Amino acid sequence: MSPSSPAATPDTSLELHDDSASNRRKSVRVRSKPALLSQDPYFSHSSNGIKRKRVESRDSGPEDVSDDDLEGGGRSVEESDADEEELREQRRKAKKPALKKSRKSATTILAMRPAVNGVKKSAKTQKSRAKAAVKVNDDETGLFAEVFSHGHTPEAVAADWIARWEQHNSQAMTDLVNFVIRCTGCNLTISVHDIEDPDNAVSKLTDLQDEYQAHKPADYPLISKTKANASFRSVMTGFFETLIQTCHAAGLLYSDLAIIENIEVWVSTMSSSGMRPFRHTATVISLAIGNTLCRVAADVAENTAKTTRQKEGEQKKKSVNKERVKALDTKIIELGRKRAQVEESLKSVFDTVFVHRYRDVDPKIRADCVTALGTWIITLPDYFFEGIYLRYLGWVLSDTFAPTRAEVVKQISKLFKNQENVARLRTFTERFRSRLVEMAMRDSEVSIRASTVELLDLIRKTGLLEPDDIDNIGRLIFDAESRVRKAVTGFFAENIEDLYENTVEELGGKEGLVEMIGEGTEDDYDAPRISWLKLKCVVEALQSYDAEDEEVPSTAPEIRAGLLTANTESRYALAAKTIYDGIPEAKEWEVLAGYLLHDLSTTTTAFEQQCQLSEGEEILLLEILNVSVKSRLAVAIDSETDKRGKKSKARMDASRETQESTALHLARTFPNLLKKFGSNSATVSAVLRMEHILNLEILQELQQDSTAYASLLEDVNKQFLTHADQGVLAEASTALLHARSFDDLEEVTEGKVQELWDNTVNSLRYLMSLEDWMENISEICNSVRRIAHLAGIMDCATMFQAVERPSKKPKKTAANPASVFDLLMNLLHDPALDSEAGEKADETLIDAMRALLFYYMWIVRSLQTPAKATEPQSDNPNYQQFAFTLATLIENRYSTSPVRQKALGTLLELHTLFATFRHHDASTQTLVQHVDPSIEPLILSTFTTLEKAFAKKSHHKLEPGPDDELDSEPEDDDDDDDEDENDTYAQQETLLAEKRLCEVTGKIVLALVARVLDNEGENKGKIKQRITRNRLKLGPNFKEVVAYLDGPKTKGGKRKPVAKKTLTSKGKSKALIPENEEDSDGGGVVLEEGGEEDLRQRELVEDRIVDHDEEEEGDAVAGAREEVDDEMMSD
């Protein structure tokens, strides 16, 4: 066996100690007996002799000579001519021995070692390490107890271990390896004989692993979440880092290689263990040793560079001291040897541990490896900042574990933040740029996408991103995730700034533009400004991004219209918020309005030609204008209070002034915007949204008359009557509702809304009186749609019951004098509007059902509101005619027909609505009626069709059942396509199918809860059993809808069971029988199913049931509550 082999390490190390005692400097601190560990069994009385011997040796030798001086030639070098810097350093070093002699404990100043090899620790680090401790058992002994107990610093324990090593190296190494094993959570140990036979390390550790595995450990300290192990990792790694630093400072890292070699043998072997506690703990220790070795190598390199500068300075002198130059050469060679040894140890750590563990099955180990490699590259760039090491970071970008990907992005970002690293990162960037762009656009974790966008912004500043990559990242301005949009703000703003500067240069620079457009006044917002170019660049970039995203089939816009609700912000609005935060020009809303209103149809200059806007760019700029105005007012309101939440008169006056100036300017701008953009439904919707922002109360106070306000409402009415688009009608209705919220202006608003009613109803009467009225089905559809929107914002009961009102306009022919209720019912009954009448006919029927449902909602509200003594008592309404008509529509249409689905939902909502009278006085009990049992098979048929359609598109497998043959009706061909040409289109279709299923299921669930469905007849309970069959098969949304049958959620997140309650003649509960015992969690008060308190706890009483959007109103709850009146009418 060779002397250098691991097996011979212990004996060789002792021989080296004895032979070299007189040739190398002896450190008192390493040999000193620590005060806190004086009773250690490994210490003998001979240590005192060693201490006395070393003190004598130190006193008899040259006084106060540093390692640098010894390595550089000893005393002769000190006596030679030295420059001023070296003399100051020598004088500083000469003061340190006095401090050393005054110490009482060797353990208290170990970290202050002045040797050139050492890396000094700050007092703050020592203090924190002394406090960090892990709770250990009272019977714990050995190195584990010393490291993790209170009062022992890592420096003291490391010094004590080194003293043991020099007394009995095999026993000391045994203690260290047992400490590593104990850190894994294993209480087993190895013996000195195992240490002396390192070739048997693998088999010994395998035996330990098998024995430990037999106990089936569930946890180990490194990943434990207990409070006692909160600082376990930091203390463990801190000890090994201190141990390596102490060996480096004492020179043992280079003179006694047995220490690092034996540690590598055992730790690297454990890092390859098949048992996770062994493998993870050993990997963390090995990586911590690698971190310390990198710092040691960096320190040695710094000393080498310093010594080289001293040598070069000495050689430049007129009289060169050859002895000094020779000594410095010797020192440089010695430092080079030390660095070579450290780098060899680093290579061993990398090859034996990192290369195998960076792709470990445990994601936590992979994350630790990534963190360590990033630290190594930053700490020792001369060695690790190479392509062969950087590529590992690139490979881990595709890791399946999100925290590992997040960590590698973090490490790469650290590298790019240093501009000096750019040149060395060029090859790495070219190789992995596409992966980074892919992560930013499509990673499953939002936080990783956001951090990757920030990293790509750093890469963009270095010029290493391709134009296509810049466009792909800029397109994330439309992303649905706010964190991603926020992260891309800076990227997008810098990109716009580059585009703006290029545009300005093309037009002759800023000086040339000033001469071209002149210098306008600050308050003249209509005059051309240079900032228009920046705004043009913004919308031009957004338009190009949006155009590329819109490459989907022609039916996609219709699908998106069905998915978006009235209160959902468009992607343009979301992008506008991001732009407002990143581009200062977007905050000047007056300039934005002036730019939009400026007539650029006839351009006279190159500047005006460059600033011309397309239709899409106008829409985007209007969205930015909306956000800018909202943000201005929000900032003004927030400025009323300081950071402490206190208000002051000065702040409130300033806020009021801002609000007043904004209201006045917006009131003057709003009519002009409607005049210019009112002909386009897309642009007028954005303009109408600005009316929602306008504080009409402030406007009324400032102008002292209602002329301007009435003119404003007249403009809104004009848009309501001239457009049939659902979006425009929804925005106009919301604007009118916003106007009605101001009591001082209620009279004017009511007059304008009444004009809308008269015009719309009279138009419908006229069209219905024509013999060939089916030829005007499009105009009839628009009128019915307007009636449905008006019915949602004001009480329409009187208008629906009234016959024809006299019109101010002359009639061309006699109009139908029937009431609105009769007109809408006639449309529902008319056989001409069958399934073959076309899409407009279906829309007419759907809007008619919406309007009539609103009518009954207002009726219910009036009945539930206590009537005044002077008001006559209204009779109970008869809704059976409407219910029968809905049932007829359900029978005459296919289950996939939107008319049938709407009729079914309206029928269930109608019965659920009147079920709220179940607990009112006896006069209203007749209003609570059960759904006709003959309709229940049709309800199941429709539900089964929607269920199968969604399961097919989402690739969910349904539970088979005996009633699968219920749905025997043919389905539309559009729903039978096996493959979609576009992934985006397929995803939209899937979402739309899920929306339809959840809408119908939600209405069925509410009817079941209200006990107006599936509560009578021989098939009682069949519908509930059917809809709950696949509750766990169709996704979380469907599961939550069906979960309402289980009762309200408790504080723990579980649901209370729904129970039936049988009352005796005294009104007390006779029996409580849970409907679904397997889902019952027990506990709490069991409420009567369908009762008022039951519905309130199910959060049904507070649900909003009315919305202006056609598709969204199906989601709302129409009944099963008592106090829904005000909210359900949006009033």
Side-chain angles (χ1 to χ4, degrees), residues 297-310:
D299 182 65
V300 172
E302 182 181 354
N303 288 333
T304 303
K306 180 181 177 181
T307 306
T308 303
R309 290 194 299 269
Q310 292 177 353

Side-chain angles (χ1 to χ4, degrees), residues 186 188 203-215 217 269-270 272-276 278-279:
C186 177
L188 304 175
S203 60
K204 180 61 181 177
L205 289 174
T206 302
D207 295 339
L208 291 178
Q209 172 184 319
D210 295 340
E211 187 175 352
Y212 183 43
Q213 186 68 34
H215 295 84
T269 302
M270 291 180 65
S272 299
S273 171
M275 191 174 183
R276 185 166 300 180
F278 278 38
R279 189 172 70 254

Side-chain angles (χ1 to χ4, degrees), residues 784 824 827-828 843-853 882:
V784 174
L824 296 179
L827 287 173
L828 295 179
E843 292 178 6
T844 302
L845 295 176
I846 291 173
D847 288 326
M849 287 184 279
R850 287 182 61 219
L852 288 169
L853 182 60
F882 184 37

